[in-house]
Amino acid sequence: MARCFMVAVSGSVQAAGPVFWGWPQGRGFEELEMTGTAVDQLGQLVPGLHGRNVGPAGPEVFWTLSADGRGGAYLGTGHGGELHHLDRDGETSLITRLEGTEIFSVLPRDGGGLLVGCGPDGQLFSVDESGMAEQMGQVAGGYVWAMARRPGTQEIWLATGSPAAVYRFDPGSGSLAPVWEF
């Protein structure tokens, strides 16, 4: 005599189906086909991949920051050329937008305003407190990666490249010239 036992279990079961990413060999990434299922906020299966923005709203990337001398900082963005100010309380404000460029260096000027070094075209801008920007020059290297005051003078040194070079900017005369090139 054979005995057969069967156990029944009841209750809710949450299941998620597999996610398939189809990327046949020899096809470009822009042709990537993504299908699948996800679990929504109510625990239900829904078609497609589930995602939500968990990052802050605002610029995609900050390439540089420079202290403002008052407990805050100036922030330069890539992919949009925006210059922001972050105050000591964590509040941000947009100072200016330099179209068609990315900001890689920011240096507060004596007496107010900022010098802003950019790429990929190597522009050097002066930005006043109201956000008005004026191009002061352009370096051959394509990017103004960093700036520093030359000790004991009003001159500003610019680290640029590629290829690597150091430029001297004299705010009084407005001259911008290489002093060392690799």
Side-chain angles (χ1 to χ4, degrees), residues 6-21:
M6 184 162 88
V7 177
V9 177
S10 67
S12 70
V13 177
Q14 228 180 19
V19 175
F20 301 96
W21 291 28

Side-chain angles (χ1 to χ4, degrees), residues 7 14 16 19 27 33 40 49 60 71 89 91 98 110 117-118 123 127 134 139 141 154 157 163 166-167 169 174-175:
V7 177
Q14 228 180 19
V19 175
R27 291 176 63 187
E33 296 173 12
D40 68 11
L49 297 174
E60 177 185 347
D89 298 322
E91 299 295 320
L98 305 172
D110 291 339
C118 301
Q123 305 99 322
V127 177
E134 176 185 358
V139 301
Q154 291 297 312
W157 286 356
V166 175
Y167 279 73
F169 174 66
S175 70

Side-chain angles (χ1 to χ4, degrees), residues 36-136:
T37 58
V39 178
D40 68 11
Q41 293 176 342
L42 300 174
Q44 304 295 314
L45 288 177
V46 294
L49 297 174
H50 180 70
R52 62 185 173 91
N53 185 3
V54 295
E60 177 185 347
V61 63
F62 287 117
W63 289 122
T64 188
L65 107 128
S66 179
D68 69 359
R70 302 180 307 267
Y74 297 104
L75 306 163
T77 70
H79 315 301
E82 293 179 353
L83 182 63
H84 293 260
H85 182 255
L86 174 69
D87 69 19
R88 68 176 43 213
D89 298 322
E91 299 295 320
T92 60
S93 58
L94 177 66
I95 296 173
T96 192
R97 181 175 289 117
L98 305 172
E99 298 294 332
T101 191
E102 300 179 36
I103 298 174
F104 290 95
S105 55
V106 177
L107 183 69
R109 295 184 76 166
D110 291 339
L114 303 164
L115 282 178
V116 178
C118 301
D121 296 321
Q123 305 99 322
L124 177 65
F125 288 94
S126 176
V127 177
D128 67 17
E129 288 85 6
S130 71
M132 294 298 299
E134 176 185 358
Q135 186 169 338
M136 304 304 291

